[in-house]
Amino acid sequence: MKVKALSRSKESTQRECIGDLRRQDRNLDPSYHPMQRPREYTRAVTAAKINRMFAHPLIGNLGNGHQDAVYHTAFSRRSLLPLVSGAADGCISLWDLSSRTNV
């Protein structure tokens, strides 16, 4: 029985210095990548969905509220009214969410 082993020269596997990149052979023939088009289509659809999702704000504007970052929010477990928010400017606000006004 004959056994044929793969052999490589040391020049192809060793680098001259640590910063050298190794050459990577890639076959760009489409017959070897049958799932490339569906994969790219899926990526494009996912990117479009993410762009559409982040195109609109996730929370409505509550009008003239805090002047600085909001750190804490709290609401009732029984209903959404009232919403209380506390910010870095030292103010605590009570909100009516149906009319989006500060009470």
Side-chain angles (χ1 to χ4, degrees), residues 4 11 16 18 33 42 52 57 66 82:
K4 191 170 185 179
E11 289 82 27
E16 290 182 13
I18 294 175
H33 304 285
T42 303
R52 195 176 319 131
H66 298 288

Side-chain angles (χ1 to χ4, degrees), residues 33-72:
H33 304 285
M35 298 301 291
Q36 181 179 6
R37 292 191 79 173
R39 183 172 45 242
E40 290 299 321
Y41 176 76
T42 303
R43 287 179 182 166
V45 168
T46 303
K49 286 179 182 178
I50 289 173
N51 285 341
R52 195 176 319 131
M53 184 173 69
F54 287 115
H56 302 290
L58 300 176
I59 299 175
N61 186 6
L62 293 177
N64 297 331
H66 298 288
Q67 300 298 322
D68 210 347
V70 175
Y71 287 133
H72 299 286

Side-chain angles (χ1 to χ4, degrees), residues 1 6 9-10 23-25 28 32-33 39 41 48 61-62 65-66 76 78 93:
M1 173 165 68
L6 295 175
S9 65
K10 287 194 172 190
R23 186 172 164 236
Q24 293 182 347
D25 296 323
L28 300 177
Y32 289 110
H33 304 285
R39 183 172 45 242
Y41 176 76
N61 186 6
L62 293 177
H66 298 288
S76 172
R78 295 184 186 138
S93 298

